[in-house]
């Protein structure tokens, strides 16, 4: 399996950028780029990953999963849910990705469908969703209200509504 560091290097070379040029675009030092590429630094924050994907002119899915990244799934107010879609491919959470909660089960990358409102996530944002029917801890969950899927924040487990997924991570485009 190809590492994130080797993908960063391949994408940097494909973009015809040296380490210093990529570092300027991302807002880090060229030494940091070297550490990322060598795997010496394995934890890269959300904002840096988004900036890195933008600087390398690739999707976040391609940066994290490589060229064989699954097609980006969409979350709509009326089913099917992203993990139930025909083209759905679950992925294992990369160990270097910081999440809202500790998650070991398969998850999916998705984006809200155009014309939907899943505040605080907007159309074009990227979400990492963990399909579940269990409340894990305070955070945003995909739930169904009045035959419509919505994203709601819960501080404690809801007693009157079924949970469908937890929002593990959320990225805004640069």
């Amino acid at each position: 399996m190809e590492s994130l560091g080797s993908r960063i290097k391949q994408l940097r070379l494909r973009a015809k950028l040296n380490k210093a040029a990529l570092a300027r675009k991302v807002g880090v030092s060229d030494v940091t780029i070297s550490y990322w590429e060598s795997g010496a630094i394995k934890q890269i924050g959300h904002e840096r990953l988004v900036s890195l994907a933008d600087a390398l002119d690739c999707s976040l899915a391609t940066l994290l999963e490589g060229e064989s990244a699954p097609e980006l799934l969409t979350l709509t107010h009326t089913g099917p849910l992203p993990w139930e879609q025909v083209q759905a491919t679950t992925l294992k959470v990369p160990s270097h990705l910081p999440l809202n909660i500790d998650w070991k089960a398969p998850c999916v990358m998705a984006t809200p469908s155009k014309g939907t409102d899943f505040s605080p996530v907007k159309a074009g944002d990227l979400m990492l969703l963990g399909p579940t029917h269990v409340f894990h801890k305070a955070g945003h969950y995909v739930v169904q209200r009045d035959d419509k899927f919505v994203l709601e924040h819960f501080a404690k487990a809801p007693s009157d509504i079924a949970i469908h997924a937890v929002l593990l991570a959320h990225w805004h485009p640069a």
Side-chain angles (χ1 to χ4, degrees):
M1 182 173 159
E2 183 183 38
S3 71
L4 175 62
S6 63
R7 273 194 303 282
I8 292 170
K9 183 175 182 177
Q10 288 174 354
L11 292 166
R12 176 178 60 79
L13 294 173
R14 183 178 78 183
K16 296 182 174 41
L17 295 171
N18 61 31
K19 291 176 187 175
L22 179 58
R24 280 191 301 276
K25 287 182 167 229
V26 177
V28 297
S29 71
D30 53 341
V31 172
T32 299
I33 300 295
S34 292
Y35 286 154
W36 287 347
E37 289 184 358
S38 71
I41 295 178
K42 294 181 179 7
Q43 295 281 337
I44 303 175
H46 295 84
E47 295 82 17
R48 292 288 188 232
L49 286 169
V50 172
S51 295
L52 194 54
D54 187 50
L56 294 169
D57 195 29
C58 69
S59 70
L60 190 55
T62 298
L63 178 62
L64 295 174
E65 292 293 310
E67 295 297 335
S68 62
E71 182 178 331
L72 192 56
L73 304 170
T74 57
L75 179 62
T76 59
H77 290 299
T78 57
L81 291 164
W83 49 94
E84 297 170 342
Q85 295 175 19
V86 174
Q87 74 274 26
T89 302
T90 58
L91 54 102
K92 183 177 180 267
V93 178
S95 60
H96 57 271
L97 190 63
L99 302 177
N100 297 335
I101 65 171
D102 186 32
W103 191 260
K104 304 291 183 220
C107 55
V108 296
M109 281 191 169
T111 189
S113 181
K114 290 192 187 313
T116 60
D117 180 15
F118 285 99
S119 296
V121 181
K122 297 177 176 37
D125 288 3
L126 187 62
M127 303 178 283
L128 190 62
L129 296 171
T132 185
H133 296 290
V134 177
F135 177 85
H136 293 271
K137 72 176 211 176
H140 284 88
Y141 290 83
V142 175
V143 296
Q144 193 168 9
R145 289 208 185 264
D146 302 321
D147 296 326
K148 184 177 176 182
F149 292 110
V150 295
L151 192 62
E152 264 186 58
H153 185 274
F154 293 101
K156 60 182 186 171
S159 58
D160 61 338
I161 192 159
I163 291 172
H164 293 275
V166 60
L167 180 64
L168 301 171
H170 169 213
W171 300 273
H172 305 284

